Amino acid sequence: MTKSGTKRIRVGIIGANPDRGWAAQAHIPALRSLSDDFEITALSTTRRESADAAGKLFDVAAAFDSHQELVNSPAVDVVAVTVKVPYHLELATAALEAGKAVYCEWPLGNGLKEAETLAALAKKQGALAVAGLQARSAPAVAYLRALVEQGYVGELLSTTLVGSGMGWGPTVEPFNAYLNDKKNGATMLSIAVGHTADALCYCLGEIRELSATTAMRRKTFTIAGTGESKPMNAEDQVAITGLLEGGAAFSIHYRGGVSRGTNLLWEINGSAGDLQLTATGGQAQIWELDVLGGEGDQSGLELLTVPEQYRWAPPQGPGTNVAQAYAHFARDYREGTHFCPTFEDAVTRHRMLDAIETAAATGQRQTLAAESRNKEETP
């Protein structure tokens, strides 16, 4: 119980690897920074040895080597799925069928079909099911959205986004090699573009229509530490243009690896002002973001300080936005609000990715379904 007498939300984490991983880097620090709302009551890995090591390292008494034991535990209210994308469908399904609320990392599924299957199950179960599209929870993104809504830029004319994948470059750590194989569903398009484009759509509205070009410019990559060369099997260039639902033009270009120049520059141009969001890394869900703006008679941009009202959790470094998302998750869980992106919101984003892939494969402009475009307007 918290000091106010409110029962803490009990979280079980699937994929709490003691050696590395997003659970250790982001989820566990985020949840512990919100101790009035959450407590970690269980974790699981795929091996007894690693489960025991994780339980000891993270001081969690219930450490399982079976995800089924975790989802069935009466001491767990919410299951956090923090493993590689190909396992999301199985694990999130198990959690939902056990009657738990779910926080599943993004991408929700390995492709649109899996995401739709999970969203349908969550709806059937009547469960709170949240996707880890945490870029929209970033303080800078929340502030930028408010500025647009308040009329800072006036009528939205266009938006341009250039970013670096950070991964999908010349070298990769051994445990991330799976990212370079498209069949695993964890590509630069689905991760780097998916997260950052979600923030764009969250702030400016959904995409009405798009054209796309993708290319695999690097044919091989090297495993760090071993020097082993492997074939690249995921596009490292993604370029998208089109129109947003309100008629504004947009363009997005992501490049694999790291640039010596610009790694993230998102500009919003309107009839009355301009906004920029910048970062030293191209994944908006992880890197710290700066907001710049200029309006009216200003001839240039100035750095805008993000007001404290957009900071809902203590800073966590790379996991800051995960903590921000969990702060909203607590409200959604207790009050039935819709601050966090749900599995249905994730399906909207997967449909966008699917349209990008189709446009790139066929050379034909794609129109997104009206229900996807208007989803954000649904109360």
Side-chain angles (χ1 to χ4, degrees):
M1 302 288 285
T2 65
K3 293 177 182 177
S4 63
T6 306
K7 184 182 177 184
R8 289 189 180 93
I9 301 166
R10 302 169 301 174
V11 182
I13 302 175
I14 300 178
N17 192 302
D19 302 318
R20 61 176 184 275
W22 194 233
Q25 191 177 8
H27 283 260
I28 291 173
L31 289 164
R32 291 201 162 141
S33 75
L34 299 166
S35 58
D36 280 352
D37 291 313
F38 297 99
E39 61 176 323
I40 302 168
T41 54
L43 54 81
S44 72
T45 68
T46 57
R47 295 182 300 109
R48 183 72 264 163
E49 296 81 6
S50 61
D52 290 341
K56 183 177 180 180
L57 177 65
F58 302 125
D59 192 25
V60 176
F64 303 111
D65 59 359
S66 159
H67 71 268
Q68 202 62 52
E69 287 185 86
L70 183 144
V71 302
N72 288 334
S73 171
V76 171
D77 303 312
V78 176
V79 174
V81 178
T82 69
V83 298
K84 293 178 178 179
V85 179
Y87 305 105
H88 285 186
L89 176 64
E90 176 191 1
L91 301 177
T93 295
L96 289 168
E97 289 181 341
K100 309 297 185 181
V102 180
Y103 183 123
C104 183
E105 269 301 336
W106 174 263
L108 177 57
N110 188 350
L112 175 59
K113 185 177 180 181
E114 288 191 3
E116 289 176 333
T117 298
L118 285 170
L121 179 58
K123 184 176 182 179
K124 177 185 175 184
Q125 297 290 96
L128 173 60
V130 165
L133 285 163
Q134 67 267 18
R136 65 168 73 184
S137 295
V141 172
Y143 178 42
L144 186 142
R145 184 177 192 248
L147 288 172
V148 172
E149 289 180 339
Q150 293 161 12
Y152 187 96
V153 301
E155 181 185 4
L156 178 63
L157 303 175
S158 66
T159 187
T160 307
L161 173 62
V162 177
S164 298
M166 312 312 287
W168 303 277
T171 61
V172 65
E173 294 296 329
F175 51 82
N176 278 334
Y178 90 110
L179 299 172
N180 289 348
D181 191 340
K182 191 173 182 177
K183 76 174 189 295
N184 292 318
T187 61
M188 187 179 74
L189 172 61
S190 66
I191 295 178
V193 177
H195 275 293
T196 311
D198 182 70
L200 185 154
C201 292
Y202 178 65
C203 293
L204 305 180
E206 291 296 328
I207 292 170
R208 176 195 297 173
E209 55 189 78
L210 62 83
S211 300
T213 300
T214 61
M216 200 183 305
R217 296 294 293 152
R218 289 182 177 86
K219 306 305 179 187
T220 62
F221 64 93
T222 301
I223 301 293
T226 70
E228 181 185 2
S229 179
K230 287 184 171 290
M232 176 72 84
N233 190 27
E235 287 85 357
D236 60 354
Q237 300 291 323
V238 177
I240 315 151
T241 60
L243 298 175
L244 300 179
E245 58 186 7
F250 81 90
S251 69
I252 298 172
H253 182 198
Y254 257 79
R255 307 80 49 93
V258 179
S259 171
R260 295 175 183 84
T262 302
N263 283 304
L264 183 64
L265 173 61
W266 173 19
E267 186 158 302
I268 300 167
N269 306 114
S271 60
D274 302 289
L275 288 165
Q276 272 188 359
L277 190 148
T278 65
T280 57
Q283 298 207 30
Q285 77 280 13
I286 298 176
W287 260 261
E288 185 176 349
L289 309 167
D290 290 323
V291 180
L292 298 91
E295 60 179 336
D297 296 332
Q298 289 179 264
S299 59
L301 302 176
E302 62 179 1
L303 184 66
L304 305 179
T305 302
V306 178
E308 285 302 310
Q309 71 191 78
Y310 300 105
R311 301 185 186 278
W312 316 309
Q316 300 291 312
T320 290
N321 301 333
V322 175
Q324 292 270 115
Y326 270 119
H328 270 170
F329 186 102
R331 291 191 61 182
D332 289 353
Y333 185 87
R334 291 188 173 125
E335 302 170 23
T337 49
H338 179 187
F339 289 111
C340 288
T342 64
F343 280 15
E344 289 188 358
D345 296 318
V347 167
T348 297
R349 199 57 53 234
H350 272 285
R351 285 183 181 138
M352 180 201 77
L353 297 177
D354 194 63
I356 292 168
E357 290 184 321
T358 302
T362 64
Q364 296 178 351
R365 196 170 182 86
Q366 299 296 303
T367 301
L368 276 78
E371 58 266 25
S372 295
R373 295 204 311 271
N374 297 329
K375 186 158 191 52
E376 293 295 334
E377 300 173 7
T378 303

